[in-house]
Amino acid sequence: MFRRPPRNFRRRQRAESSSSEGEPEAEPEPGGEEPRSGGPSLQKKENPHSTGREAERSKGKYLATRLPADPGLPVAADQSRVIKIADTYETEEEDEHFSSDSEDYNSSASETQSNASLKRKSLSAGNMPDAAYIQVARRKRQLARTQGDYIPLDTSNPVTVSQRNECSDTESEDDSDRDKILHFAPKTKTLRQRMTEYIDIKRSKSDEASEDDETQNMWEEQQLKKAVKLPQGVNVDTSLHKSQPVKIKFDPSVSLPPVSLEVVKKQLTSRITSLQDLHRAHQREYEKYSQNIESSKNTIQELEGASNAALNYKFYRSMKTYMENLVDCLNEKLLHIDELEAAMQMLLQQQAIILLKRRQEDLKNESTCIQLLSRKNGKSNDDRLEHDEKTQLLLEECESRRTCRRQARESFGKSDHHEGMSSDDEVSPAEMTDFQKNKDHILQESKKICEDVHADFCNIRNILLKFQQWRQKFPDSYYDAYISLCLPKLLNPLIRIQLIGWNPLEINFISLNEMPWFRAIEEFSDAKVISQPKRNDDPDQTILPTITEKIILPKITGFVEHVWDPLSTSQTVSLVQLCKNIFEELSLSKNESSKAKQDMVNSVVSRMKKSIEEDVFIPLYPKRTSDVEDRLSPQSKFQERRFWSAVKLLSNILLWDGIIPEDTLRELGLGKLLNRYLLLILLNATPGPDNVEKCNKVVACLPERWFRELKNGSTLPQLANFSQHLLQSAHILYKNNCSDETRDLILLLVKVNALHIAEDFIEEYKLEHLKSVIRKVEFQ
């Protein structure tokens, strides 16, 4: 490319054309009017920001065209010589510029501009450098080209160092080539050459670069990356060629760090280890994905083969319809069930009330009769016998029943029974017939409840079979539906139908585990699911205890409140055995906070308190009354019957040990019954074999468990008065030479754990033979 000639060059051309002698003219001042050139060079505006060095260089080149020709030389030769001189002048300026290593680019540019202004003045005056100066400048220029130790700062000027080198080479040719065309824009070097020169320059300067130069290098490398897309062979600006990426050459002069076999081996080993770890991780991930794929395939096959959406929907739909029909059926029958259950409860309650009233009437009449017989003044014997005929009839009936019971005991050979320990619950044949007739009628009605119902809706086993199929086919939905919580309420009406004729107070009542509903529920709870292992916390195991708590215990509570007679030993034994089975076998004893259990226990305690207050009556007579001392007198018999009746009640109360809290049971049996009633008769009785027998019977009623935990040789606080009575009776009997009765009383003291009292008595009377008996009882 041709450069645009400067303004002074064109003015000189116009001056030369107007001058006939060809003398040089003075350089005009810049800023004049610039005519357009019609030559082959392209018009280009001068960059106002270019350095002074470039301005003088360009000015020096174009100045050669305006110098006058030597008369002895051709015009072309003169022009060639002038161009060489100008080029040498320019080279000298460049050498002087790059010889200063300590100056930066800004200071060098300003100095070059000032030097250029001085040299323009010398040129304008006609001071030309001599040949020696030009030769020295040429050598310096050649040396600078070879080293390549500078990079032009002005990237806007397309003339590069290589171009100037090429231009200088052209000028150094033989004089025979002077007639050739002058190239103002030398041929551009290839991109590879320019990149190689740039890399060599960068490598030479890398050792001397500072931290600021590193920032400049980074910027230059970024510009090189941007120029990668530029095609080769295009004449572009030098700044663009600088930004293109280059391929770094290997410089053999650079020394590499020493490499040993151990270092290479270590690096290779580390690399292999990392690759092996990565391979193993990929292998594990692959195996995991393979297993997931295989599991998914198996699940899909199982679901496709085992589950059918239509069949599942059909099953759930049928189960929903079945449940709706079952609930509707039970709701319809529930009212009838309540009526029959209440009728049976009322029948048993009326019979219990009749027997209780009759016993209380007999007690009242007999007590009145004994009081009339005990009067000594005010009335004659005829007056004492003038009492109500109805009362007399009732007493005769009572004595008749007592005689029948005595004969029955004698026929069975029971000789240890005492009058007053029987329950006196016999009823007349007419009353028994009427009671049985009403009971059978209620039972017949209960059987008719489900006569019009299909077995799938009234048979507990069939109903549980439906739910068992559900549990086997779809266990997840079965347990999610909380069927174990719904079944007790669902089966409640059907269980109550089977319990209408059930009376736990009877001697030979049907046990719960023998009933059909109990066995069906037990089989359902223990049935194992084939498709799944049995759960440790299977909620179906709680169905039976829940039914017992919600249905059985409330029914037992009703019997305790309205039917149970605490004076009846047979009823008490049956009831206590049933409760123990329920609390122990069905694990209801662990649930101490069960409301049904607490209600039943409170009902038992309340009923026993009522029995102590209403059924216990101990008549008191003076000690020295002849009627009392006479064992055959009515007063003595009546007192004996009332004492043994109270002992029987004490025995029945203490049978509840283990069910009723121990403190409550001691307060009822020992505090209220023994100390308040029985001990009065024992204290008023004359010490003897009869008294010893009564004390022995009282001690036999006490649970042995109460005395196993006692220490320090002291008895229960509630038995302190009773122990003192035994000690006083032993003193009297020992003084009366009743050694056998005395020994029995000492043994009773040992049984109630009154060891200190027994030992003191033995030490007092020197009864060494009784010590072995005490040790024997202690070990037992």
Side-chain angles (χ1 to χ4, degrees):
M1 296 295 293
F2 292 97
R3 293 181 296 180
R4 179 181 177 183
R7 296 176 183 177
N8 55 2
F9 177 75
R10 294 182 180 179
R11 292 175 66 90
R12 290 189 184 113
Q13 284 182 343
R14 288 196 299 271
E16 183 178 2
S17 62
S18 61
S19 177
S20 58
E21 290 88 10
E23 294 178 0
E25 296 177 0
E27 181 181 357
E29 292 298 327
E33 183 179 357
E34 178 180 328
R36 295 184 179 272
S37 173
S41 62
L42 297 177
Q43 296 179 1
K44 185 175 181 182
K45 293 182 179 181
E46 184 177 359
N47 188 0
H49 300 286
S50 61
T51 61
R53 177 177 54 82
E54 295 176 353
E56 291 188 5
R57 182 174 65 247
S58 61
K59 185 176 180 180
K61 287 185 178 182
Y62 291 104
L63 183 60
T65 60
R66 297 297 299 163
L67 293 176
D70 191 357
L73 295 175
V75 178
D78 294 340
Q79 292 178 355
S80 177
R81 182 175 59 83
V82 173
I83 291 171
K84 288 181 179 180
I85 295 172
D87 196 8
T88 304
Y89 180 73
E90 179 184 356
T91 305
E92 181 181 358
E93 293 173 356
E94 293 175 357
D95 294 337
E96 290 175 359
H97 170 70
F98 288 103
S99 62
S100 178
D101 295 332
S102 61
E103 295 179 356
D104 55 4
Y105 293 114
N106 295 330
S107 62
S108 63
S110 61
E111 290 176 4
T112 304
Q113 187 175 4
S114 62
N115 294 333
S117 62
L118 294 175
K119 292 186 178 183
R120 280 198 300 270
K121 294 180 181 180
S122 64
L123 288 176
S124 62
N127 296 327
M128 300 299 294
D130 55 0
Y133 182 82
I134 293 173
Q135 190 68 22
V136 173
R138 184 175 295 175
R139 285 196 300 270
K140 291 182 179 181
R141 182 182 62 183
Q142 186 66 27
L143 181 61
R145 286 199 192 103
T146 304
Q147 293 180 355
D149 57 351
Y150 71 94
I151 298 176
L153 295 177
D154 186 10
T155 57
S156 63
N157 189 2
V159 180
T160 60
V161 176
S162 61
Q163 291 173 348
R164 289 196 300 272
N165 294 339
E166 185 177 354
C167 182
S168 64
D169 294 338
T170 305
E171 294 173 357
S172 65
E173 291 180 355
D174 195 80
D175 294 338
S176 63
D177 296 334
R178 292 180 180 178
D179 297 336
K180 296 181 181 180
I181 300 173
L182 295 176
H183 298 281
F184 292 95
K187 184 179 178 180
T188 307
K189 290 185 179 181
T190 62
L191 180 61
R192 184 179 298 275
Q193 293 174 350
R194 291 193 299 272
M195 291 170 62
T196 303
E197 293 176 358
Y198 174 74
I199 292 172
D200 294 339
I201 295 171
K202 291 290 291 182
R203 185 177 298 169
S204 63
K205 289 186 177 182
S206 61
D207 297 335
E208 300 176 0
S210 60
E211 295 182 356
D212 296 335
D213 294 336
E214 292 179 0
T215 306
Q216 182 69 18
N217 292 338
M218 292 176 61
W219 179 84
E220 291 175 356
E221 290 175 0
Q222 292 176 0
Q223 298 303 319
L224 284 173
K225 292 180 181 178
K226 295 179 181 178
V228 172
K229 298 182 181 179
L230 294 178
Q232 294 183 1
V234 179
N235 189 12
V236 295
D237 193 6
T238 308
S239 61
L240 298 178
H241 292 302
K242 289 173 58 179
S243 302
Q244 293 183 2
V246 296
K247 183 177 181 181
I248 301 175
K249 294 182 179 180
F250 175 74
D251 189 3
S253 63
V254 179
S255 62
L256 298 176
V259 179
S260 62
L261 183 60
E262 294 296 332
V263 174
V264 175
K265 184 178 179 181
K266 183 176 181 181
Q267 292 179 354
L268 292 176
T269 305
S270 176
R271 180 64 176 170
I272 292 173
T273 303
S274 62
L275 291 176
Q276 289 177 353
D277 294 340
L278 182 62
H279 175 71
R280 284 193 293 269
H282 290 168
Q283 189 70 21
R284 289 193 297 269
E285 189 175 2
Y286 172 76
E287 294 176 357
K288 179 181 178 182
Y289 290 153
S290 301
Q291 293 177 359
N292 292 339
I293 293 172
E294 191 67 24
S295 177
S296 300
K297 290 180 180 179
N298 295 335
T299 304
I300 291 173
Q301 292 177 359
E302 291 178 0
L303 293 176
E304 290 177 352
S307 63
N308 191 331
L311 295 178
N312 295 346
Y313 175 78
K314 184 178 180 180
F315 174 80
Y316 285 121
R317 187 67 181 176
S318 62
M319 198 68 189
K320 180 177 181 295
T321 304
Y322 173 78
M323 290 297 300
E324 291 176 352
N325 296 333
L326 178 61
V327 172
D328 292 341
C329 175
L330 295 178
N331 288 335
E332 183 179 354
K333 302 297 182 181
L334 192 59
L335 182 60
H336 195 191
I337 295 172
D338 293 340
E339 292 177 354
L340 294 178
E341 194 174 32
M344 180 62 73
Q345 186 76 15
M346 184 61 66
L347 181 64
L348 296 175
Q349 184 177 353
Q350 287 178 355
Q351 185 185 26
I353 291 174
I354 290 173
L355 295 177
L356 180 61
K357 286 184 177 181
R358 189 185 68 181
R359 186 173 62 233
Q360 292 178 353
E361 288 291 334
D362 292 342
L363 177 60
K364 182 179 179 181
N365 294 332
E366 190 172 4
S367 176
T368 303
C369 182
I370 295 301
Q371 288 179 0
L372 292 175
L373 291 175
S374 299
R375 291 179 181 175
K376 296 180 179 180
N377 300 322
K379 290 186 179 180
S380 61
N381 292 334
D382 295 337
D383 295 334
R384 286 179 296 180
L385 296 177
E386 290 179 0
H387 52 275
D388 193 14
E389 295 179 359
K390 184 178 180 179
T391 303
Q392 186 65 28
L393 182 61
L394 294 175
L395 290 175
E396 291 177 0
E397 293 178 359
C398 181
E399 185 63 28
S400 176
R401 293 192 300 273
R402 191 177 295 118
T403 302
C404 293
R405 292 193 296 271
R406 188 183 308 112
Q407 292 175 359
R409 290 193 300 270
E410 290 176 358
S411 63
F412 287 106
K414 294 182 179 180
S415 58
D416 59 343
H417 185 80
H418 299 275
E419 293 289 341
M421 298 187 70
S422 59
S423 300
D424 194 12
D425 52 1
E426 295 84 5
V427 295
S428 62
E431 293 176 350
M432 179 59 67
T433 302
D434 187 31
F435 173 80
Q436 192 64 36
K437 180 180 178 180
N438 294 331
K439 182 179 180 180
D440 294 340
H441 175 72
I442 295 174
L443 294 177
Q444 291 295 330
E445 292 294 328
S446 64
K447 293 179 181 179
K448 294 179 182 180
I449 294 176
C450 297
E451 283 184 350
D452 57 343
V453 180
H454 193 271
D456 291 341
F457 298 93
C458 63
N459 190 300
I460 295 178
R461 191 179 297 275
N462 294 346
I463 294 173
L464 293 177
L465 183 61
K466 294 281 187 180
F467 289 97
Q468 186 174 355
Q469 293 176 356
W470 185 2
R471 183 176 61 185
Q472 291 177 353
K473 292 182 178 180
F474 311 102
D476 294 337
S477 61
Y478 172 83
Y479 290 110
D480 291 341
Y482 298 99
I483 301 301
S484 59
L485 299 179
C486 301
L487 283 178
K489 188 174 182 180
L490 185 67
L491 300 177
N492 187 343
L494 300 177
I495 295 174
R496 287 167 58 189
I497 292 175
Q498 299 186 25
L499 293 176
I500 289 178
W502 180 64
N503 186 0
L505 301 179
E506 293 178 353
I507 298 176
N508 297 322
F509 73 97
I510 301 176
S511 179
L512 291 176
N513 53 11
E514 297 177 0
M515 292 186 175
W517 66 267
F518 190 94
R519 292 197 298 267
I521 296 174
E522 191 174 22
E523 292 174 1
F524 173 78
S525 300
D526 296 337
K528 296 182 179 179
V529 181
I530 299 177
S531 60
Q532 289 185 352
K534 190 172 181 181
R535 299 186 178 186
N536 296 328
D537 54 346
D538 189 359
D540 290 341
Q541 297 293 328
T542 62
I543 294 177
L544 198 56
T546 303
I547 290 176
T548 304
E549 184 177 357
K550 301 296 183 181
I551 302 174
I552 304 302
L553 289 182
K555 191 173 184 66
I556 294 175
T557 302
F559 276 99
V560 170
E561 292 177 351
H562 306 292
V563 183
W564 176 50
D565 183 12
L567 283 175
S568 175
T569 302
S570 60
Q571 293 183 8
T572 304
V573 170
S574 300
L575 192 60
V576 168
Q577 187 63 36
L578 175 63
C579 293
K580 286 184 177 180
N581 293 337
I582 290 175
F583 295 154
E584 294 176 1
E585 296 179 5
L586 299 181
S587 302
L588 288 180
S589 59
K590 297 180 181 179
N591 189 8
E592 299 294 341
S593 60
S594 173
K595 185 177 183 303
K597 179 182 177 181
Q598 293 297 327
D599 292 342
M600 194 208 70
V601 170
N602 294 335
S603 299
V604 171
V605 173
S606 178
R607 185 67 186 89
M608 288 190 297
K609 287 181 180 180
K610 183 178 179 181
S611 180
I612 292 174
E613 295 173 358
E614 296 180 356
D615 297 333
V616 177
F617 175 73
I618 303 296
L620 296 178
Y621 302 103
K623 266 187 176 185
R624 303 194 178 275
T625 303
S626 58
D627 295 336
V628 177
E629 295 178 356
D630 187 4
R631 305 269 314 165
L632 300 177
S633 64
Q635 293 84 354
S636 179
K637 291 182 179 181
F638 179 69
Q639 189 180 48
E640 288 292 318
R641 286 196 297 269
R642 301 318 305 161
F643 174 81
W644 290 112
S645 177
V647 171
K648 179 183 178 180
L649 180 60
L650 175 64
S651 177
N652 294 340
I653 290 174
L654 297 181
L655 287 176
W656 290 95
D657 180 47
I659 301 176
I660 296 176
E662 188 173 323
D663 296 338
T664 303
L665 200 63
R666 290 178 183 177
E667 180 64 23
L668 288 175
L670 303 181
K672 291 186 176 181
L673 187 57
L674 177 60
N675 295 332
R676 186 179 298 180
Y677 296 102
L678 296 178
L679 195 58
L680 294 177
I681 295 179
L682 294 175
L683 293 175
N684 291 328
T686 303
D690 294 338
N691 195 359
V692 173
E693 184 181 2
K694 292 178 182 178
C695 293
N696 194 7
K697 190 65 176 179
V698 170
V699 174
C701 297
L702 302 177
E704 296 181 359
R705 184 180 62 87
W706 289 0
F707 307 104
R708 293 174 185 172
E709 300 177 357
L710 296 177
K711 298 179 180 180
N712 300 326
S714 58
T715 186
L716 297 173
Q718 294 86 351
L719 295 177
N721 295 333
F722 180 72
S723 300
Q724 291 296 327
H725 168 71
L726 294 178
L727 179 61
Q728 294 176 3
S729 300
H731 283 289
I732 296 174
L733 292 174
Y734 182 77
K735 293 177 181 179
N736 294 335
N737 296 326
C738 299
S739 58
D740 294 338
E741 288 78 4
T742 303
R743 185 190 62 184
D744 294 340
L745 292 178
I746 297 300
L747 292 177
L748 293 179
L749 288 173
V750 175
K751 287 182 179 180
V752 297
N753 203 50
L755 300 179
H756 293 319
I757 298 177
E759 291 174 357
D760 293 342
F761 181 83
I762 292 173
E763 291 294 335
E764 182 179 357
Y765 294 101
K766 306 299 181 180
L767 302 175
E768 298 295 335
H769 62 283
L770 294 179
K771 290 184 179 181
S772 60
V773 178
I774 293 175
R775 296 191 188 96
K776 184 177 179 180
V777 174
E778 289 179 353
F779 285 114
Q780 290 178 354

